[in-house]
Amino acid sequence: MGFAQTKSDIDGKISLISTQAGGNIEDNDILKKDIPSSISSKILLKIAKKGTPLVQLGNGNPKVMMIAGIHGNELPPQIALLKLIESLRNSKLNGTVYIIPFAAPAASMNNSRWFDGLDLNRAGSNEGSITYKILELIQELEVDAVADFHSTKIGSNPGRESVFCTKNPCCESFEIGQFITKRTSSELICYNAAGKMYKGALEDECNIQGIPAVTCEVVSENGQVTPGSTQKSLMQMESYLKYFKIIDKIKW
């Protein structure tokens, strides 16, 4: 895969993986006020105007991918991934971390769950959707595992801090989920078979293809950043990386 742009000043590579959903993230005033004022964030916001950005940090195996913004109005994980990128720059990585902080920048800009009339977490089998392109990229990069980060409001589904996983056909999804929930305040939500409950979800589509994946949720009002929610998302992210021994400790 050819990277559209390389930035040595964040000690990694940034590429533009899709031009479908470019948007000015800073037009979302609620998201803007919590965006870190780091050089990496500034570069990513600029590239997000053109489309979906991908950051590569580290090299070698294992190779994992972390994603936020599949639902543009779920803000804490998007902020958390920007903070994580800056922290990982200053940490020793035992492997490769691919990060998509805004799956659909236009949806994030508009504080919308939807993009182009689609719930992108039900569009994994829709050829041409951003989710489908991310799945193709996961295969192309030969990623070993995927984590998709979301937020959920109280009274919705699931409405609580949690980690979704499945046992079949990819049992490591369950093992990753267990690891994260034992180290955070998250609840484990496990289904026996991928694709039965949430057809087209990124996590399920990965597991069906034999690529272990989990979906991590923290509690926050839609389109808002509930106090403490970004930090809880960061804890899930750190635990995910520790499962693969990619990090020992993050320098926050």
Side-chain angles (χ1 to χ4, degrees):
M1 182 185 70
F3 285 98
Q5 193 166 358
T6 301
K7 293 289 182 181
S8 59
D9 50 0
I10 70 161
D11 302 321
K13 297 178 180 178
I14 301 178
S15 64
L16 189 62
I17 63 172
S18 171
T19 58
Q20 281 179 262
N24 186 356
I25 302 295
E26 292 182 292
D27 281 353
N28 183 335
D29 291 336
I30 297 169
L31 183 53
K32 178 182 178 180
K33 67 183 180 182
D34 284 311
I35 291 174
S37 59
S38 59
I39 183 64
S40 55
S41 294
K42 290 176 181 176
I43 293 168
L44 281 163
L45 292 178
K46 183 176 180 180
I47 293 178
K49 291 179 182 179
K50 301 177 182 178
T52 303
L54 172 76
V55 177
Q56 176 189 338
L57 295 166
N59 57 71
N61 295 311
K63 297 188 287 187
V64 301
M65 184 175 286
M66 307 172 76
I67 302 157
I70 289 286
H71 293 143
N73 66 339
E74 297 178 3
L75 306 184
Q78 298 177 67
I79 297 163
L81 275 183
L82 291 177
K83 291 185 175 184
L84 183 72
I85 289 166
E86 189 63 17
S87 298
L88 292 182
R89 292 179 57 222
N90 303 307
S91 302
K92 183 179 183 298
L93 303 182
N94 303 308
T96 305
V97 183
Y98 295 105
I99 297 175
I100 298 175
F102 315 110
S108 300
M109 174 182 70
N110 294 322
N111 223 349
S112 174
R113 179 181 177 87
W114 305 84
F115 173 72
D116 201 21
L118 291 175
D119 178 341
L120 293 180
N121 209 31
R122 300 293 183 271
S125 57
N126 292 25
E127 190 170 349
S129 73
I130 293 169
T131 320
Y132 189 89
K133 289 186 178 180
I134 291 173
L135 283 164
E136 287 186 316
L137 180 66
I138 288 166
Q139 293 175 306
E140 182 181 344
L141 294 173
E142 297 182 337
V143 168
D144 295 303
V146 174
D148 185 19
F149 295 90
H150 290 251
S151 61
T152 177
K153 70 175 184 177
I154 293 173
S156 66
N157 182 23
R160 57 197 187 277
E161 184 185 334
S162 54
V163 180
F164 284 92
C165 63
T166 56
K167 291 185 177 179
N168 294 293
C170 194
C171 64
E172 192 173 8
S173 167
F174 172 64
E175 294 166 6
I176 296 168
Q178 277 193 316
F179 187 92
I180 296 171
T181 54
K182 286 179 180 178
R183 287 156 181 80
T184 64
S185 53
S186 309
E187 176 186 337
L188 188 69
I189 300 176
C190 186
Y191 293 101
N192 185 54
K196 298 295 185 182
M197 288 293 295
Y198 301 106
K199 183 174 175 57
L202 181 62
E203 172 212 328
D204 287 64
E205 294 296 325
C206 287
N207 284 323
I208 287 168
Q209 294 176 22
I211 303 165
V214 294
T215 300
C216 298
E217 302 265 6
V218 294
V219 176
S220 182
E221 284 297 314
N222 292 341
Q224 301 290 328
V225 183
T226 297
S229 57
T230 299
Q231 186 59 36
K232 286 182 178 293
S233 190
L234 279 165
M235 290 174 66
Q236 291 176 333
M237 293 170 182
E238 184 173 9
S239 297
Y240 173 73
L241 291 173
K242 284 183 176 179
Y243 172 86
F244 293 97
K245 298 181 172 60
I246 290 176
I247 59 167
D248 297 318
K249 185 174 178 60
I250 293 179
K251 299 176 183 178
W252 296 113

